[in-house]
Amino acid sequence: MTGVQTCALPIWGLLARALTHTSHIYEQPGIGPPSGDNEQLEFLGDSILGFSVSDYLVRHNPEFPEGRLSKLKAHLVSAVRLHEVAQELGLGEYLYLGRGEEMSGGRNKKALLADAVEALIAALYLDAGLDTVRAFIENRVVGGGPAVEQGLETAVSDHKSALQERAQALKLPAPR
């Protein structure tokens, strides 16, 4: 599927859309969502990211139990990790934002940048196919096998699960 054009928009149109926040669209006369913002691409990118990370983790860590894979995946697809990826790419400076979002620091907002990474993933998929987007995810989001194999799960802070497991071990009622 690599290199097959699967979307009517050329890559520059897809890229511009992936980097366009809804606030920018609402400020354009006669234009309104979903004609040009990144929300649909974000939706698609989220699914592609989840699938690709799951596939990578299973292929590279066949000995890991499901629980460990779930924690690793949760970390790798989290807003915290995607924000880091966006910062590494300098994505914030390329965003199309509305004036209000610009003035409130939108170029540095964790959720907004994480959403832009997901939209970028969808744009790559639509333009270049699954192999290209998998390579991007493995290089930029996962960061390569050694980080995973050396215990990336230690970077995962799933406090809710840890508290539930500890309460169960102590035969206490489930935390509320």
Side-chain angles (χ1 to χ4, degrees), residues 161-172:
S161 294
L163 179 61
Q164 289 172 336
E165 290 169 9
R166 183 73 175 144
Q168 185 178 10
L170 294 172
K171 302 201 184 321
L172 296 171

Side-chain angles (χ1 to χ4, degrees), residues 43-117:
F43 169 78
L44 178 59
D46 177 65
S47 294
I48 294 165
L49 176 64
F51 166 74
S52 297
V53 167
S54 296
D55 179 62
Y56 176 90
L57 291 173
V58 167
R59 282 187 292 111
H60 287 85
N61 304 286
E63 74 284 1
F64 285 9
E66 184 271 338
R68 188 171 179 189
L69 292 170
S70 292
K71 286 180 181 179
L72 286 168
K73 178 186 171 193
H75 170 70
L76 291 169
V77 303
S78 70
V80 170
R81 177 66 191 130
L82 296 181
H83 180 246
E84 291 170 355
V85 171
Q87 288 180 314
E88 290 164 8
L89 294 171
L91 213 52
E93 68 184 273
Y94 300 104
L95 295 176
Y96 295 100
L97 302 174
R99 285 185 303 276
E101 196 63 56
E102 180 79 56
M103 294 180 71
S104 68
R107 293 189 187 283
N108 297 309
K109 288 183 179 176
K110 186 182 301 183
L112 198 146
L113 288 169
D115 292 348
V117 171

Side-chain angles (χ1 to χ4, degrees), residues 88-153:
E88 290 164 8
L89 294 171
L91 213 52
E93 68 184 273
Y94 300 104
L95 295 176
Y96 295 100
L97 302 174
R99 285 185 303 276
E101 196 63 56
E102 180 79 56
M103 294 180 71
S104 68
R107 293 189 187 283
N108 297 309
K109 288 183 179 176
K110 186 182 301 183
L112 198 146
L113 288 169
D115 292 348
V117 171
E118 290 174 338
L120 180 62
I121 286 169
L124 282 171
Y125 168 73
L126 291 171
D127 182 66
L130 192 55
D131 291 340
T132 299
V133 81
R134 276 183 168 166
F136 173 82
I137 290 168
E138 290 177 12
N139 290 328
R140 293 296 185 156
V141 178
V142 176
V148 174
E149 286 131 22
Q150 291 172 7
L152 179 62
E153 72 273 8

Side-chain angles (χ1 to χ4, degrees), residues 7-54:
C7 185
L9 289 173
I11 184 60
W12 295 115
L14 283 168
L15 181 58
R17 185 171 174 198
L19 299 174
T20 301
H21 187 259
T22 307
S23 64
H24 178 76
I25 294 298
Y26 278 118
E27 291 182 1
Q28 304 306 309
I31 299 176
S35 54
D37 66 32
N38 66 0
E39 289 183 352
Q40 282 186 345
L41 290 177
E42 174 195 338
F43 169 78
L44 178 59
D46 177 65
S47 294
I48 294 165
L49 176 64
F51 166 74
S52 297
V53 167
S54 296

